[in-house]
Short mmCIF file of all heavy atoms in Angstrom, two decimals:
data_model
loop_
_atom_site.label_atom_id
_atom_site.label_comp_id
_atom_site.label_asym_id
_atom_site.label_seq_id
_atom_site.Cartn_x
_atom_site.Cartn_y
_atom_site.Cartn_z
N PRO P 10 -8.45 -9.24 5.54
CA PRO P 10 -9.04 -8.59 6.63
C PRO P 10 -8.61 -7.08 6.78
O PRO P 10 -9.41 -6.27 7.22
CB PRO P 10 -8.50 -9.37 7.90
CG PRO P 10 -8.20 -10.76 7.33
CD PRO P 10 -7.70 -10.50 5.93
N LEU P 11 -7.39 -6.75 6.36
CA LEU P 11 -6.90 -5.37 6.45
C LEU P 11 -7.55 -4.55 5.31
O LEU P 11 -7.87 -3.33 5.51
CB LEU P 11 -5.41 -5.32 6.23
CG LEU P 11 -4.55 -5.95 7.44
CD1 LEU P 11 -3.06 -5.65 7.16
CD2 LEU P 11 -4.99 -5.47 8.80
N LEU P 12 -7.91 -5.20 4.21
CA LEU P 12 -8.64 -4.52 3.16
C LEU P 12 -9.96 -4.12 3.73
O LEU P 12 -10.53 -3.04 3.40
CB LEU P 12 -8.69 -5.41 1.94
CG LEU P 12 -9.61 -4.81 0.77
CD1 LEU P 12 -9.12 -3.44 0.27
CD2 LEU P 12 -9.76 -5.81 -0.35
N GLN P 13 -10.69 -4.98 4.39
CA GLN P 13 -11.99 -4.70 4.98
C GLN P 13 -11.94 -3.49 5.90
O GLN P 13 -12.73 -2.60 5.97
CB GLN P 13 -12.55 -5.90 5.69
CG GLN P 13 -13.94 -5.62 6.18
CD GLN P 13 -14.92 -5.58 5.12
OE1 GLN P 13 -15.29 -6.53 4.43
NE2 GLN P 13 -15.52 -4.35 4.91
N VAL P 14 -10.83 -3.45 6.74
CA VAL P 14 -10.61 -2.36 7.66
C VAL P 14 -10.41 -1.11 6.84
O VAL P 14 -10.99 -0.05 7.12
CB VAL P 14 -9.35 -2.58 8.53
CG1 VAL P 14 -9.02 -1.27 9.37
CG2 VAL P 14 -9.66 -3.70 9.54
N LEU P 15 -9.59 -1.08 5.80
CA LEU P 15 -9.34 0.10 5.00
C LEU P 15 -10.74 0.61 4.42
O LEU P 15 -11.02 1.74 4.45
CB LEU P 15 -8.38 -0.23 3.90
CG LEU P 15 -8.20 0.74 2.76
CD1 LEU P 15 -7.68 2.11 3.36
CD2 LEU P 15 -7.25 0.29 1.72
N VAL P 16 -11.49 -0.32 3.78
CA VAL P 16 -12.77 0.09 3.20
C VAL P 16 -13.73 0.68 4.30
O VAL P 16 -14.36 1.70 4.04
CB VAL P 16 -13.44 -1.18 2.56
CG1 VAL P 16 -14.85 -0.85 2.16
CG2 VAL P 16 -12.62 -1.56 1.35
N ASN P 17 -13.77 0.07 5.44
CA ASN P 17 -14.63 0.59 6.46
C ASN P 17 -14.15 1.96 6.95
O ASN P 17 -15.00 2.80 7.25
CB ASN P 17 -14.59 -0.33 7.68
CG ASN P 17 -15.35 -1.69 7.32
OD1 ASN P 17 -16.07 -1.83 6.39
ND2 ASN P 17 -15.23 -2.66 8.25
N SER P 18 -12.87 2.14 7.05
CA SER P 18 -12.32 3.42 7.46
C SER P 18 -12.65 4.56 6.41
O SER P 18 -12.94 5.69 6.78
CB SER P 18 -10.81 3.38 7.76
OG SER P 18 -10.09 3.29 6.63
N ILE P 19 -12.65 4.20 5.11
CA ILE P 19 -13.00 5.18 4.08
C ILE P 19 -14.51 5.53 4.19
O ILE P 19 -14.91 6.62 4.05
CB ILE P 19 -12.54 4.69 2.75
CG1 ILE P 19 -11.12 4.49 2.53
CG2 ILE P 19 -13.17 5.53 1.55
CD1 ILE P 19 -10.60 3.80 1.31
N GLU P 20 -15.27 4.42 4.42
CA GLU P 20 -16.71 4.59 4.49
C GLU P 20 -17.02 5.58 5.61
O GLU P 20 -17.96 6.44 5.51
CB GLU P 20 -17.28 3.29 4.74
CG GLU P 20 -18.78 3.30 5.09
CD GLU P 20 -19.72 3.56 3.86
OE1 GLU P 20 -19.26 3.69 2.73
OE2 GLU P 20 -20.92 3.62 3.98
N CYS P 21 -16.38 5.54 6.74
CA CYS P 21 -16.70 6.31 7.97
C CYS P 21 -16.10 7.75 7.78
O CYS P 21 -16.73 8.63 8.34
CB CYS P 21 -16.17 5.61 9.18
SG CYS P 21 -17.09 4.10 9.62
N ASN P 22 -14.92 7.88 7.16
CA ASN P 22 -14.27 9.16 7.19
C ASN P 22 -14.17 9.90 5.85
O ASN P 22 -13.92 11.13 5.91
CB ASN P 22 -12.89 8.89 7.82
CG ASN P 22 -12.95 8.49 9.18
OD1 ASN P 22 -13.48 9.12 10.14
ND2 ASN P 22 -12.34 7.20 9.49
N SER P 23 -14.28 9.20 4.83
CA SER P 23 -14.22 9.93 3.50
C SER P 23 -15.07 9.13 2.51
O SER P 23 -14.56 8.57 1.47
CB SER P 23 -12.79 10.00 2.97
OG SER P 23 -12.65 10.93 1.85
N PRO P 24 -16.39 9.05 2.73
CA PRO P 24 -17.28 8.20 1.98
C PRO P 24 -17.41 8.70 0.47
O PRO P 24 -17.04 9.81 0.17
CB PRO P 24 -18.63 8.42 2.67
CG PRO P 24 -18.58 9.71 3.41
CD PRO P 24 -17.10 9.77 3.79
N LYS P 25 -17.89 7.78 -0.36
CA LYS P 25 -18.13 8.04 -1.79
C LYS P 25 -16.86 8.02 -2.65
O LYS P 25 -16.89 8.29 -3.85
CB LYS P 25 -18.87 9.35 -2.03
CG LYS P 25 -20.19 9.43 -1.20
CD LYS P 25 -21.07 8.27 -1.47
CE LYS P 25 -22.38 8.34 -0.69
NZ LYS P 25 -23.26 7.08 -0.87
N VAL P 26 -15.71 7.83 -1.92
CA VAL P 26 -14.47 7.59 -2.75
C VAL P 26 -14.63 6.35 -3.48
O VAL P 26 -15.06 5.33 -3.00
CB VAL P 26 -13.24 7.61 -1.81
CG1 VAL P 26 -12.02 7.16 -2.65
CG2 VAL P 26 -12.97 8.95 -1.21
N LYS P 27 -14.19 6.37 -4.80
CA LYS P 27 -14.26 5.11 -5.56
C LYS P 27 -13.03 4.30 -5.26
O LYS P 27 -11.93 4.79 -5.14
CB LYS P 27 -14.22 5.45 -7.10
CG LYS P 27 -15.55 6.15 -7.56
CD LYS P 27 -15.49 6.55 -9.05
CE LYS P 27 -16.72 7.30 -9.43
NZ LYS P 27 -16.67 7.61 -10.83
N ILE P 28 -13.22 2.98 -4.99
CA ILE P 28 -12.14 2.14 -4.64
C ILE P 28 -11.83 1.06 -5.69
O ILE P 28 -12.76 0.44 -6.22
CB ILE P 28 -12.48 1.43 -3.29
CG1 ILE P 28 -12.69 2.42 -2.20
CG2 ILE P 28 -11.37 0.36 -2.90
CD1 ILE P 28 -13.22 1.80 -0.88
N PHE P 29 -10.56 0.93 -6.02
CA PHE P 29 -10.15 -0.10 -7.02
C PHE P 29 -9.13 -1.03 -6.25
O PHE P 29 -8.14 -0.61 -5.67
CB PHE P 29 -9.35 0.51 -8.17
CG PHE P 29 -8.79 -0.59 -9.17
CD1 PHE P 29 -9.60 -1.03 -10.13
CD2 PHE P 29 -7.61 -0.96 -8.99
CE1 PHE P 29 -9.11 -1.99 -11.06
CE2 PHE P 29 -7.03 -1.96 -9.82
CZ PHE P 29 -7.75 -2.46 -10.87
N ALA P 30 -9.53 -2.30 -6.09
CA ALA P 30 -8.68 -3.27 -5.38
C ALA P 30 -8.26 -4.36 -6.25
O ALA P 30 -9.07 -5.06 -6.91
CB ALA P 30 -9.44 -3.85 -4.16
N ARG P 31 -6.92 -4.52 -6.40
CA ARG P 31 -6.35 -5.63 -7.19
C ARG P 31 -6.28 -6.82 -6.13
O ARG P 31 -5.47 -6.71 -5.20
CB ARG P 31 -5.03 -5.21 -7.79
CG ARG P 31 -4.48 -6.31 -8.68
CD ARG P 31 -3.10 -5.91 -9.18
NE ARG P 31 -2.69 -6.71 -10.32
CZ ARG P 31 -2.43 -6.23 -11.56
NH1 ARG P 31 -2.54 -4.99 -11.78
NH2 ARG P 31 -2.05 -7.09 -12.46
N LEU P 32 -7.02 -7.88 -6.37
CA LEU P 32 -6.97 -9.09 -5.50
C LEU P 32 -6.11 -10.10 -6.17
O LEU P 32 -6.34 -10.71 -7.15
CB LEU P 32 -8.40 -9.50 -5.24
CG LEU P 32 -9.35 -8.54 -4.72
CD1 LEU P 32 -10.75 -9.15 -4.55
CD2 LEU P 32 -8.94 -7.80 -3.49
N VAL P 33 -4.99 -10.41 -5.48
CA VAL P 33 -4.01 -11.39 -5.95
C VAL P 33 -4.45 -12.74 -5.42
O VAL P 33 -4.27 -13.03 -4.27
CB VAL P 33 -2.55 -11.07 -5.49
CG1 VAL P 33 -1.58 -12.04 -6.02
CG2 VAL P 33 -2.20 -9.59 -6.05
N ASN P 34 -4.98 -13.54 -6.31
CA ASN P 34 -5.44 -14.87 -5.95
C ASN P 34 -4.32 -15.88 -6.36
O ASN P 34 -4.26 -16.29 -7.53
CB ASN P 34 -6.72 -15.29 -6.75
CG ASN P 34 -7.95 -14.77 -5.98
OD1 ASN P 34 -7.86 -14.50 -4.74
ND2 ASN P 34 -9.13 -14.71 -6.65
N TRP P 35 -3.54 -16.32 -5.40
CA TRP P 35 -2.45 -17.24 -5.58
C TRP P 35 -2.14 -17.96 -4.28
O TRP P 35 -2.11 -17.35 -3.27
CB TRP P 35 -1.22 -16.53 -6.09
CG TRP P 35 -0.09 -17.40 -6.47
CD1 TRP P 35 -0.07 -18.18 -7.56
CD2 TRP P 35 1.10 -17.61 -5.74
NE1 TRP P 35 1.15 -18.91 -7.59
CE2 TRP P 35 1.86 -18.52 -6.46
CE3 TRP P 35 1.63 -17.13 -4.60
CZ2 TRP P 35 3.11 -18.96 -6.07
CZ3 TRP P 35 2.88 -17.51 -4.18
CH2 TRP P 35 3.66 -18.43 -4.95
N ALA P 36 -2.04 -19.29 -4.35
CA ALA P 36 -1.91 -20.16 -3.12
C ALA P 36 -3.27 -20.23 -2.49
O ALA P 36 -3.82 -21.30 -2.39
CB ALA P 36 -0.87 -19.61 -2.21
N GLU P 37 -3.84 -19.10 -2.00
CA GLU P 37 -5.15 -19.10 -1.41
C GLU P 37 -5.98 -18.04 -2.08
O GLU P 37 -5.61 -16.96 -2.17
CB GLU P 37 -5.06 -18.73 0.05
CG GLU P 37 -4.41 -19.87 0.96
CD GLU P 37 -4.45 -19.46 2.39
OE1 GLU P 37 -5.48 -19.79 3.00
OE2 GLU P 37 -3.47 -18.93 2.87
N ASN P 38 -7.17 -18.51 -2.67
CA ASN P 38 -8.05 -17.60 -3.30
C ASN P 38 -8.99 -16.77 -2.38
O ASN P 38 -9.29 -17.35 -1.32
CB ASN P 38 -8.90 -18.33 -4.28
CG ASN P 38 -8.06 -18.81 -5.49
OD1 ASN P 38 -6.98 -18.51 -5.68
ND2 ASN P 38 -8.73 -19.69 -6.31
N ILE P 39 -9.28 -15.58 -2.79
CA ILE P 39 -10.33 -14.83 -2.10
C ILE P 39 -11.68 -15.26 -2.72
O ILE P 39 -11.72 -15.19 -3.92
CB ILE P 39 -10.02 -13.28 -2.24
CG1 ILE P 39 -8.67 -12.93 -1.62
CG2 ILE P 39 -11.13 -12.48 -1.54
CD1 ILE P 39 -8.24 -11.55 -1.91
N THR P 40 -12.55 -15.69 -1.94
CA THR P 40 -13.82 -16.23 -2.46
C THR P 40 -14.76 -15.23 -3.00
O THR P 40 -14.68 -13.99 -2.65
CB THR P 40 -14.56 -17.10 -1.42
OG1 THR P 40 -15.04 -16.25 -0.35
CG2 THR P 40 -13.58 -18.15 -0.82
N ASP P 41 -15.71 -15.56 -3.89
CA ASP P 41 -16.73 -14.67 -4.39
C ASP P 41 -17.57 -14.22 -3.27
O ASP P 41 -18.01 -12.93 -3.28
CB ASP P 41 -17.64 -15.39 -5.42
CG ASP P 41 -16.88 -15.68 -6.74
OD1 ASP P 41 -15.76 -15.17 -6.98
OD2 ASP P 41 -17.30 -16.63 -7.41
N SER P 42 -17.91 -14.93 -2.29
CA SER P 42 -18.78 -14.51 -1.17
C SER P 42 -18.00 -13.46 -0.31
O SER P 42 -18.68 -12.47 0.10
CB SER P 42 -19.14 -15.71 -0.33
OG SER P 42 -18.09 -16.33 0.31
N GLU P 43 -16.75 -13.60 -0.17
CA GLU P 43 -15.96 -12.62 0.64
C GLU P 43 -15.94 -11.19 -0.20
O GLU P 43 -16.06 -10.19 0.44
CB GLU P 43 -14.56 -13.06 0.80
CG GLU P 43 -14.46 -14.18 1.87
CD GLU P 43 -13.04 -14.79 2.02
OE1 GLU P 43 -12.43 -14.92 0.89
OE2 GLU P 43 -12.54 -14.99 3.06
#
Side-chain angles (χ1 to χ4, degrees):
L11 295 185
L12 174 59
Q13 184 69 70
V14 169
L15 171 60
V16 169
N17 290 348
S18 72
I19 294 173
E20 171 76 0
C21 292
N22 297 299
S23 196
K25 306 305 180 182
V26 170
K27 296 179 182 178
I28 298 173
F29 176 90
R31 187 184 194 117
L32 304 182
V33 179
N34 275 341
W35 184 72
E37 292 184 86
N38 288 350
I39 300 169
T40 67
D41 291 340
S42 62
E43 287 173 318

